[in-house]
């Protein structure tokens, strides 16, 4: 995964008032922390950040005005409940070669065996450990031809090279449920007495 470069400015003022003013100025307040450093409070261009966050677990290179560059990943993203715009982000500092634990989306491909079976998704994401500059965006699972009663566990997932599970391998991720038989209509129902 390539890193996305974003410009950031150090925040001097704190609190609700300054955060609201930043949002009015099309900036998103954020905090950068990790590796034993003191937290850095910054403002990032809201539109550029919104576009960058469309990629799950995106690797960002924040060029902080007057304070150098930090390689970060988003750790917590707060969104406005109605507008769905990003209102605050916590960034975690990462180093090249360092392993990080992230949640990755599980995507299915293929069709189930015929017979009206249904796929039940038990986990939408799976926690994995990967190198900070090679975080997968998703894990693909083939469900082609699976019959009723089949279960796919975390240990059955094919992970990209250099990526390992960060959860118990016996956790059920997907399962196939058999088609429900229709109940026969009660005898005599619908006939007049």
């Amino acid at each position: 995964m390539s890193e996305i470069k974003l410009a950031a400015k150090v925040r001097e003022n704190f609190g609700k008032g300054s955060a609201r003013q930043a949002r009015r100025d099309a900036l998103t307040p954020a905090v950068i922390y990790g590796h034993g450093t003191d937290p850095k409070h910054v403002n990032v261009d809201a539109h550029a950040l919104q576009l960058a966050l469309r990629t799950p677990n995106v690797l960002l290179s924040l060029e902080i005005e007057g304070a150098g560059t930090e390689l970060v990943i988003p750790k917590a993203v707060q969104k406005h409940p109605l507008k769905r715009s990003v209102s605050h982000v916590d960034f975690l500092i990462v180093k090249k070669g360092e392993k990080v634990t992230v949640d990755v989306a599980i995507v299915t491909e293929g069709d189930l065996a015929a017979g009206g079976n249904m796929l039940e998704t038990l986990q939408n994401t799976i926690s994995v450990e990967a190198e900070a500059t090679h975080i997968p965006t998703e894990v693909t699972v083939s469900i082609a031809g699976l019959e009723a009663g089949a279960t796919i566990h975390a240990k059955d997932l094919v992970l990209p090279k250099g990526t390992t599970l960060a959860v118990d391998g016996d956790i059920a991720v997907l399962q196939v449920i058999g088609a429900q038989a229709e109940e026969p209509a009660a005898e005599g129902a619908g006939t007049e007495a």
Side-chain angles (χ1 to χ4, degrees):
M1 172 189 318
S2 62
E3 57 195 65
I4 296 175
K5 293 183 181 184
L6 292 178
K9 293 181 182 177
V10 175
R11 257 191 307 157
E12 304 293 332
N13 301 322
F14 305 100
K16 282 185 186 178
S18 64
R20 287 181 182 146
Q21 183 60 48
R23 289 185 199 106
R24 281 192 295 270
D25 295 338
L27 299 171
T28 301
V31 176
I32 303 169
Y33 63 91
H35 286 279
T37 62
D38 290 334
K40 293 179 189 168
H41 299 272
V42 296
N43 285 327
V44 183
D45 178 78
H47 182 68
L49 180 61
Q50 186 96 19
L51 292 176
L53 292 177
R54 287 184 177 176
T55 303
N57 300 314
V58 65
L59 183 65
L60 298 170
S61 176
L62 287 183
E63 296 174 358
I64 305 164
E65 188 176 285
T69 302
E70 292 285 1
L71 196 59
V72 298
I73 58 173
K75 199 61 178 169
V77 178
Q78 296 173 7
K79 293 188 175 189
H80 188 280
L82 299 176
K83 299 177 189 173
R84 303 305 300 155
S85 58
V86 177
S87 57
H88 188 274
V89 180
D90 287 353
F91 290 116
L92 179 64
I93 297 172
V94 295
K95 304 288 182 200
K96 293 186 183 211
E98 173 185 24
K99 293 264 188 177
V100 293
T101 301
V102 293
D103 290 338
V104 178
I106 297 172
V107 178
T108 59
E109 66 180 8
D111 296 320
L112 296 173
N117 298 329
M118 295 187 328
L119 181 68
E120 181 180 16
T121 302
L122 303 172
Q123 304 287 327
N124 291 319
T125 61
I126 193 77
S127 286
V128 297
E129 186 176 65
E131 201 259 312
T133 57
H134 294 92
I135 299 172
T137 55
E138 61 188 33
V139 175
T140 305
V141 181
S142 175
I143 59 168
L146 290 180
E147 300 283 343
T151 302
I152 296 176
H153 295 90
K155 63 185 174 192
D156 301 326
L157 300 174
V158 178
L159 300 174
K161 185 179 179 183
T163 304
T164 57
L165 282 176
V167 295
D168 182 15
D170 291 328
I171 292 175
V173 176
L174 303 166
Q175 68 181 10
V176 181
I177 301 172
Q180 303 294 321
E182 290 184 28
E183 292 185 25
E187 252 183 73
T191 57
E192 293 183 28

